[in-house]
Amino acid sequence: MFHWELLKKTALLGTERHPLPTEALPASIQEILAKSNKNDTEGYFLKAAAVLYNYSRAGQNPTKITLPNLALEDTETSNFCPPKTVALWKKVLDLSPANPYLLELLLQKCHQKQWVLTDDLLVNALSNTPKQLLPQLHLLLGVRGKWLAKFNESWQIADASLSITQWEEGKSTERKAFLSELRRQNPAEALSLLAQAWPNESAKDRKNLLSTLKIGLSADDEPFLEQIHEELTKNLTSPKPVTLETIHHINELRLSIQGSRFGKVVAEQITKCITKKKGLFSAIGFSSANYQLQLPESEVDFWNGDEMNQCFGFDKLSSQKGVSDAEYWLQSLLRWLHPSHLITFFEGNLSRLVEFFINTQSKNTAAYLYAFSEAMAFASPDEINAFLKVTAHLEVQKTDLLQRLPWPDQEELLLHHSQLSFALVKAITTEGPPQNWSSQFSKKALSALVKELDGSNYYYVFSDRNFLNQLGRKLHVSSKDLLYSLQNELSQDWQRNYWNTHVADILFKHLEIKEEIEQITAL
Amino acid sequence: MNFLNEDQVNQLAPDASSLKAGKDLANERKWLNYQSNERVLWGEVQGSGKDPYRTQIDLQNTAFKCSCPSRKFPCKHGLGLLFLVARRNGEIPQLTTEPSWVSEWINKRSEKAEAKIQPPISEEQDSEKTDKQAKDKEKRQNDRLLKVEAGIAELDLWLRDMVRGGLLALPEKGSAYFEKMAARMVDAQATGFASLVKEFTKINYYKGDSWQPQALEIAAKIHLQIEAFRNLDQLPPLVQEEVKSRVGWNVQQKELIENKEAETIDDEWVVIGRRSTQEEDIVLQRNWLYGCNSKRFALVLNFAYKTAAIETPLVPGNTSKARLVFYPSHSPFRALVKHHLESKSFLPTSLEGLESWHHSQLEYTRAIAQNPWADDIPQLVEHLQITKYQTHWYLQDTTGAVMRIHDSFEEAIIWKLLAFTAGQPTPLFLLRQSTSVWPLGIVQNFSYQLL
């Protein structure tokens, strides 16, 4: 900014209205201007401006002030990533679009080696690491990286520790998030907190917060659920919809608890409808054919529309053609009732239980089995595993149940007991945690994938980068040799071309990187 | 082996899509073959055509040739091959004997380069023809001079009207008011003035009062240039050349290269920075160079129309062994690469810069006094430490003097500067302006880290 104040008024108002007062200018400038024609007011002003501009540019000495010394004094004691890994980091950070799953794998491997990032990687890594991976990145930052991260708020890790203020003063969503997290860490403490706050919560918040009990639900939660159920249903005349919904949630939760009193009552009502045929075969051996389901044809006691509606929120009447009201209510109950009741009833024999559902003389057979498979999510991993084996070729909720098993069990089931559909491949790819698939399973998954190119929605399937990114993380590295040969399974040129450019090229690049990341362990 | 690293290859990409496509091609499987030797890198890649594309890269002068139909330069295949080699740290198959399609091209390039070094063999000229050419040239110059003078008279009147009425009226004028005058200057063959007038359109008139001194600064610069041109015949010949070039009277490249009197310097030139800007359809690429032995700075400008290629052997961050020819001026700065021998990724010698901001200011004042039209003055300043006060970043020398880093300087580059220096005193190449600086790169022992 050159001597603006001296010229300001004349510059803004114009020479006609406000000629330049030369006496205010520095003497050296006045000397130069003395040779100019003062009557040429515009020329005189412009000359003054030009001279002042250069006078100002040339004569300003930099200011001397005391500013904070930001310099990092500490030296690094950890080992830096070796050059090969630095090059690999650049490749991973350079992937466009980015693959956070491979980045996570690289972070893990480098952390195992106790390496820190070199100076030239710091800015790129900090700027391109997704927020959720920042805590892992911070482990590799070293002295300089940690110092650098302080200068940019977006590079700092958000304080993930739970703050009671979030619960006490936060908005509804923040309070729910707090309670969910606490429930994950310490279910009893979360329950106690909810129990304390319950009387003062609004009806809407009660309903909202109650759903957090699904996390880590156990028999310890039953007394509280029973207590609040009693309070809410006492003298219930014309409840508000939100109160009814809360009651339904409470009952659903009570049903889902293994060995709960309420669950037992409901299970008893259900098993009462399962009768054992008396006959020769039943005396020789057990068969599901010996069992039959006999639901009441008209409303009685438990099987009552008003009861079902008030207690669980089910419709009073079945809306499905050919499905009786009781059949509809049973299907809905099966979804919530802890499976242990029926498993015990069938003496722990899951194949017999499944056969029973299949042999039920009802239009609702498939729906019973599907609803029961949803409730199987509350069962133990061994029971889930056994259930998935007996239902391998049946329409049940597979994806969610598979996720509850360790990966080797999942893989064993998928390899030997299941038809691997594209939908299933996609579900286990995108919904599960990062796993390393075996070469055998990778091959099977890719075969299911390539067949999808015959489908009409292939474009939407393969343009899902998150899906391809996760595949690139999970597939076995040896599959990269298979990628391009899979095109031979396609009959059309455009399909082969599409496969190569939109799938194989991308996965090949990812698998190449994954292979290099895996080799870090050997360095 | 003289391979570029990934950062340097990034700098060569003509646009973001070429960069992405180039990176995608850095995949061995896509290349049918690729080899190199000391002077050339080549490979064949299967494209959409029947025959594979043949890609060649001159490693000494960073030049490309590819048989693909792309109009971009370098094309994605050239970039892909360079990325592939950079990612393999130069470890690729070596072949001393090149295939004929490679040697044909590279030999031709070498011959041309040698021919450039050799002074053209003087031929007996047809004196009559030469006289006619000289007369024609003089006539053209005189015609142009008249045109420029008329244009400048019009501009002077316009400027005087502006200051008579006052700058307060400027925000209401709209950009068309300035663009019209800029177009008049283009018609008058005074493109330097056109650029200056266009600076009025770049001011944000609605952000406080900061536009007011900015507008007056432009008016002052225009006036200074008008006065210099009007007094042209009173100025020394080399100052006249500088003034003429500022007006837009440029010496043709061919003419400059053939001019035996033009100053040439053979040196190892560090390409200390590059900046590309687009003005309407023209891309202007500025390359700032520093001669390791001559300790001279130079500015090499390259122009291209829209996405057309800019072919230059200069690689930012590298050191080019080259001969530069300087445009005639009393303070020679703008130059052309007359001959390029090779490009290296390290500094051939240690470099010494100015000791402090005080020395920097003396140097800056000297440069401004010599050439009042100079804008960004490149400098190498020692022991600069990055620091922050409130929301602004500064560079502080060992005496405690500070210079503010230009407000438009990208924050991402500030982070790089912090990461590389850890806030410790470091020699920096920078562009010096009157009240702020624009860092270009860090000198670390025998390497230059471009920012």
Side-chain angles (χ1 to χ4, degrees):
Chain A
M1 197 92 46
F2 63 106
H3 291 57
W4 167 244
E5 288 303 321
L6 300 175
L7 303 173
K8 187 177 176 180
K9 215 164 182 181
T10 307
L12 294 177
L13 298 175
T15 50
E16 200 168 56
R17 269 178 284 181
H18 194 275
L20 181 68
T22 45
E23 56 285 355
L25 299 174
S28 51
I29 303 292
Q30 286 189 42
E31 208 176 302
I32 296 169
L33 292 175
K35 296 167 199 162
S36 307
N37 176 9
K38 256 191 163 177
N39 296 327
D40 173 14
T41 45
E42 288 78 45
Y44 191 80
F45 171 77
L46 282 165
K47 188 165 186 180
V51 176
L52 264 176
Y53 167 61
N54 277 306
Y55 174 82
S56 169
R57 282 214 293 168
Q60 279 187 0
N61 261 324
T63 332
K64 281 190 182 180
I65 44 168
T66 311
L67 291 180
N69 183 356
L70 307 177
L72 170 72
E73 301 301 339
D74 303 333
T75 48
E76 188 61 67
T77 50
S78 306
N79 290 328
F80 287 107
C81 290
K84 219 172 171 180
T85 311
V86 171
L88 179 58
W89 263 96
K90 285 182 182 165
K91 263 191 221 177
V92 173
L93 293 170
D94 212 27
L95 273 175
S96 171
N99 186 336
Y101 307 99
L102 286 176
L103 177 61
E104 189 180 19
L105 184 64
L106 180 60
L107 285 163
Q108 285 164 4
K109 297 282 179 186
C110 288
H111 183 52
Q112 280 167 16
K113 287 279 180 180
Q114 302 282 300
W115 287 334
V116 295
L117 299 186
T118 51
D119 306 344
D120 55 335
L121 285 176
L122 290 173
V123 176
N124 198 358
L126 281 161
S127 307
N128 293 303
T129 298
K131 206 99 189 129
Q132 73 272 18
L133 294 179
L134 272 183
Q136 283 167 269
L137 178 69
H138 272 246
L139 298 172
L140 308 186
L141 285 184
V143 175
R144 187 175 293 208
K146 282 184 184 131
W147 168 84
L148 181 66
K150 284 184 204 154
F151 293 104
N152 187 343
E153 210 177 307
S154 65
W155 292 345
Q156 290 156 22
I157 310 170
D159 186 8
S161 62
L162 294 177
S163 155
I164 194 73
T165 334
Q166 198 181 333
W167 169 252
E168 286 168 349
E169 295 167 20
K171 289 178 187 165
S172 208
T173 47
E174 289 168 338
R175 298 182 71 221
K176 188 176 174 184
F178 174 87
L179 198 64
S180 302
E181 190 50 42
L182 186 61
R183 187 78 185 160
R184 260 176 224 113
Q185 293 175 15
N186 188 341
E189 201 182 323
L191 177 69
S192 152
L193 206 61
L194 180 63
Q196 277 172 38
W198 188 264
N200 304 320
E201 296 292 341
S202 68
K204 198 176 163 193
D205 284 345
R206 282 178 171 183
K207 183 194 137 197
N208 198 24
L209 295 170
L210 193 65
S211 61
T212 60
L213 292 190
K214 277 185 200 165
I215 305 162
L217 187 70
S218 74
D220 296 340
D221 302 314
E222 198 181 7
F224 171 70
L225 290 169
E226 283 187 344
Q227 181 205 322
I228 57 172
H229 182 262
E230 198 183 324
E231 281 169 20
L232 287 176
T233 50
K234 203 174 2 177
N235 306 323
L236 200 66
T237 46
S238 52
K240 286 181 183 169
V242 67
T243 310
L244 273 177
E245 281 175 41
T246 310
I247 293 169
H248 303 155
H249 281 325
I250 294 171
N251 285 333
E252 283 165 2
L253 290 167
R254 289 165 77 203
L255 278 186
S256 312
I257 295 172
Q258 184 168 18
S260 72
R261 284 179 284 278
F262 185 58
K264 275 181 195 157
V265 173
V266 173
E268 211 176 282
Q269 293 295 335
I270 295 174
T271 50
K272 260 190 213 169
C273 305
I274 305 172
T275 52
K276 195 174 179 182
K277 285 181 197 166
K278 286 192 177 149
L280 180 64
F281 288 110
S282 61
I284 299 167
F286 201 106
S287 160
S288 60
N290 295 333
Y291 285 83
Q292 61 182 33
L293 181 67
Q294 280 186 324
L295 290 168
E297 282 172 14
S298 57
E299 291 196 355
V300 282
D301 305 328
F302 178 77
W303 303 100
N304 173 309
D306 288 335
E307 172 82 13
M308 288 291 168
N309 183 260
Q310 280 191 13
C311 197
F312 303 105
F314 303 157
D315 291 339
K316 288 181 185 176
L317 301 170
S318 164
S319 57
Q320 295 165 44
K321 201 177 171 187
V323 174
S324 73
D325 298 340
E327 283 175 329
Y328 155 69
W329 296 327
L330 174 62
Q331 174 200 332
S332 308
L333 285 169
L334 285 173
R335 190 172 290 126
W336 286 101
L337 182 66
H338 195 282
S340 61
H341 300 288
L342 284 179
I343 295 173
T344 310
F345 182 79
F346 282 87
E347 297 170 12
N349 191 329
L350 273 165
S351 18
R352 202 174 292 151
L353 173 53
V354 170
E355 265 182 65
F356 160 72
F357 282 125
I358 294 168
N359 294 331
T360 306
Q361 298 296 309
S362 162
K363 280 194 174 178
N364 228 17
T365 300
Y368 288 150
L369 187 59
Y370 199 89
F372 180 74
S373 72
E374 287 185 66
M376 275 302 291
F378 306 123
S380 70
D382 283 347
E383 287 169 332
I384 292 174
N385 199 334
F387 178 76
L388 285 172
K389 275 180 188 161
V390 297
T391 55
H393 302 290
L394 297 171
E395 187 68 26
V396 293
Q397 169 52 272
K398 277 201 181 85
T399 322
D400 185 37
L401 294 181
L402 277 167
Q403 307 293 337
R404 288 161 198 276
L405 300 178
W407 175 247
D409 289 351
Q410 286 186 48
E411 206 175 70
E412 207 265 334
L413 277 165
L414 291 165
L415 274 173
H416 304 294
H417 301 279
S418 274
Q419 286 280 349
L420 204 53
S421 67
F422 171 77
L424 195 54
V425 172
K426 185 158 186 189
I428 53 168
T429 307
T430 53
E431 288 169 28
Q435 312 109 357
N436 286 317
W437 295 353
S438 69
S439 55
Q440 204 188 351
F441 182 71
S442 300
K443 192 176 171 185
K444 197 172 172 183
L446 281 172
S447 299
L449 201 64
V450 78
K451 287 190 186 96
E452 190 63 15
L453 263 179
D454 279 330
S456 56
N457 63 341
Y458 70 90
Y459 177 78
Y460 298 99
V461 170
F462 294 113
S463 57
D464 179 351
R465 286 308 295 233
N466 182 49
F467 171 49
L468 288 182
N469 278 347
Q470 295 221 46
L471 260 182
R473 161 69 182 84
K474 291 179 176 179
L475 285 171
H476 193 273
V477 291
S478 65
S479 348
K480 73 178 174 16
D481 303 324
L482 179 74
L483 281 168
Y484 291 96
S485 60
L486 276 170
Q487 63 175 307
N488 299 328
E489 293 186 17
L490 297 162
S491 53
Q492 308 282 324
D493 269 354
W494 72 263
Q495 289 177 322
R496 285 193 284 270
N497 200 17
Y498 192 92
W499 173 262
N500 285 343
T501 52
H502 291 83
V503 187
D505 277 358
I506 296 165
L507 289 178
F508 187 88
K509 194 165 32 168
H510 289 179
L511 290 174
E512 241 183 356
I513 290 176
K514 186 181 172 184
E515 192 172 24
E516 280 188 67
I517 297 174
E518 286 179 347
Q519 284 163 2
I520 285 179
T521 325
L523 288 175
Chain B
M1 198 63 57
N2 191 28
F3 291 114
L4 305 181
N5 61 36
E6 283 196 53
D7 287 343
Q8 289 169 327
V9 184
N10 282 333
Q11 297 267 354
L12 297 174
D15 54 41
S17 66
S18 302
L19 182 64
K20 190 183 175 305
K23 283 180 177 173
D24 286 344
L25 277 168
N27 176 345
E28 266 179 76
R29 286 188 70 100
K30 306 221 165 170
W31 292 85
L32 302 173
N33 60 67
Y34 59 94
Q35 286 99 17
S36 84
N37 58 31
E38 283 294 328
R39 61 176 189 161
V40 63
L41 164 68
W42 69 93
E44 288 179 287
V45 61
Q46 190 60 56
S48 48
K50 188 179 152 209
D51 297 322
Y53 297 134
R54 290 174 160 180
T55 308
Q56 303 162 73
I57 301 161
D58 177 348
L59 294 173
Q60 311 287 346
N61 291 297
T62 327
F64 297 80
K65 190 182 181 196
C66 185
S67 60
C68 77
S70 169
R71 291 178 64 197
K72 290 186 181 172
F73 190 86
C75 66
K76 61 181 180 182
H77 306 105
L79 291 169
L81 193 50
L82 278 181
F83 273 124
L84 179 64
V85 177
R87 284 176 185 178
R88 296 180 57 94
N89 295 318
E91 289 166 16
I92 66 157
Q94 297 291 306
L95 206 65
T96 328
T97 329
E98 301 130 3
S100 59
W101 57 273
V102 177
S103 51
E104 212 170 274
W105 175 69
I106 197 75
N107 287 341
K108 214 178 263 179
R109 282 191 62 82
S110 305
E111 281 163 22
K112 268 189 193 170
E114 275 163 27
K116 272 189 190 173
I117 314 175
Q118 300 295 327
I121 300 159
S122 60
E123 287 172 16
E124 209 167 298
Q125 305 269 320
D126 182 344
S127 62
E128 201 178 312
K129 199 178 168 188
T130 314
D131 285 350
K132 191 181 178 305
Q133 278 176 345
K135 272 181 192 165
D136 286 350
K137 191 179 173 187
E138 197 183 331
K139 189 182 176 302
R140 281 199 305 272
Q141 295 272 9
N142 286 336
D143 289 349
R144 182 170 183 185
L145 192 65
L146 289 172
K147 249 184 161 179
V148 173
E149 277 172 350
I152 284 177
E154 192 180 340
L155 177 65
D156 189 33
L157 200 62
W158 178 82
L159 193 66
R160 282 163 180 270
D161 280 348
M162 187 194 288
V163 295
R164 188 181 304 118
L167 301 183
L168 274 179
L170 285 194
E172 293 155 24
K173 301 270 186 197
S175 58
Y177 173 75
F178 303 107
E179 273 157 12
K180 195 175 162 194
M181 178 45 74
R184 295 284 303 127
M185 289 302 102
V186 173
D187 292 345
Q189 292 186 297
T191 50
F193 280 112
S195 304
L196 274 176
V197 172
K198 272 190 199 161
E199 282 187 26
F200 281 112
T201 63
K202 294 173 192 162
I203 297 175
N204 182 352
Y205 293 96
Y206 302 100
K207 195 181 169 190
D209 293 340
S210 62
W211 65 269
Q212 296 167 355
Q214 287 177 48
L216 184 59
E217 188 178 308
I218 300 168
K221 281 201 259 184
I222 296 175
H223 177 75
L224 189 68
Q225 209 153 289
I226 290 174
E227 286 298 297
F229 190 76
R230 281 187 171 154
N231 297 311
L232 199 62
D233 48 3
Q234 293 170 37
L235 300 171
L238 285 174
V239 182
Q240 284 185 25
E241 292 297 331
E242 177 68 36
V243 174
K244 280 161 79 179
S245 100
R246 294 276 162 184
V247 170
W249 214 295
N250 286 321
V251 178
Q252 297 293 312
Q253 290 195 3
K254 190 169 174 262
E255 199 182 320
L256 180 66
I257 285 174
E258 286 170 1
N259 183 354
K260 286 177 197 163
E261 283 169 22
E263 184 187 16
T264 56
I265 300 179
D266 291 331
D267 205 339
E268 291 177 291
W269 297 93
V270 190
V271 185
I272 58 172
R274 170 179 288 177
R275 197 189 296 165
S276 293
T277 49
Q278 190 166 347
E279 288 271 341
E280 288 165 8
D281 291 337
I282 303 295
V283 176
L284 165 61
Q285 184 194 73
R286 290 180 178 86
N287 296 281
W288 288 277
L289 278 66
Y290 178 72
C292 293
N293 304 311
S294 63
K295 304 198 187 317
R296 283 274 295 271
F297 285 95
L299 172 69
V300 174
L301 299 182
N302 292 310
F303 301 89
Y305 180 72
K306 283 185 179 173
T307 55
I310 292 182
E311 187 176 1
T312 172
L314 303 176
V315 179
N318 264 17
T319 304
S320 283
K321 194 169 185 181
R323 174 177 296 172
L324 296 194
V325 53
F326 284 80
Y327 282 82
S329 167
H330 63 300
S331 52
F333 180 44
R334 192 178 158 196
L336 276 182
V337 180
K338 189 170 184 180
H339 178 59
H340 191 272
L341 271 176
E342 59 177 341
S343 183
K344 295 172 189 164
S345 58
F346 55 88
L347 297 175
T349 174
S350 64
L351 305 178
E352 263 180 47
L354 301 163
E355 271 302 299
S356 65
W357 283 131
H358 173 69
H359 292 91
S360 153
Q361 181 61 35
L362 290 178
E363 189 57 33
Y364 182 73
T365 306
R366 189 196 58 75
I368 296 292
Q370 202 172 22
N371 186 349
W373 303 279
D375 296 317
D376 300 332
I377 312 280
Q379 293 182 338
L380 171 60
V381 186
E382 301 276 348
H383 318 299
L384 294 180
Q385 219 173 342
I386 186 165
T387 184
K388 194 179 187 183
Y389 180 64
Q390 293 175 345
T391 54
H392 298 292
W393 291 93
Y394 295 83
L395 289 170
Q396 187 156 38
D397 68 11
T398 46
T399 69
V402 293
M403 281 296 285
R404 185 161 152 175
I405 295 178
H406 199 284
D407 287 344
S408 322
F409 197 69
E410 279 177 69
E411 204 162 39
I413 304 179
I414 296 272
W415 307 138
K416 262 175 110 173
L417 188 56
L418 279 165
F420 284 118
T421 64
Q424 299 289 350
T426 317
L428 287 176
F429 272 112
L430 45 88
L431 293 178
R432 178 66 212 265
Q433 291 156 350
S434 62
T435 54
S436 63
V437 292
W438 189 284
L440 294 173
I442 306 162
V443 177
Q444 289 173 321
N445 301 321
F446 284 91
S447 73
Y448 180 60
Q449 179 61 50
L450 198 73
L451 288 171

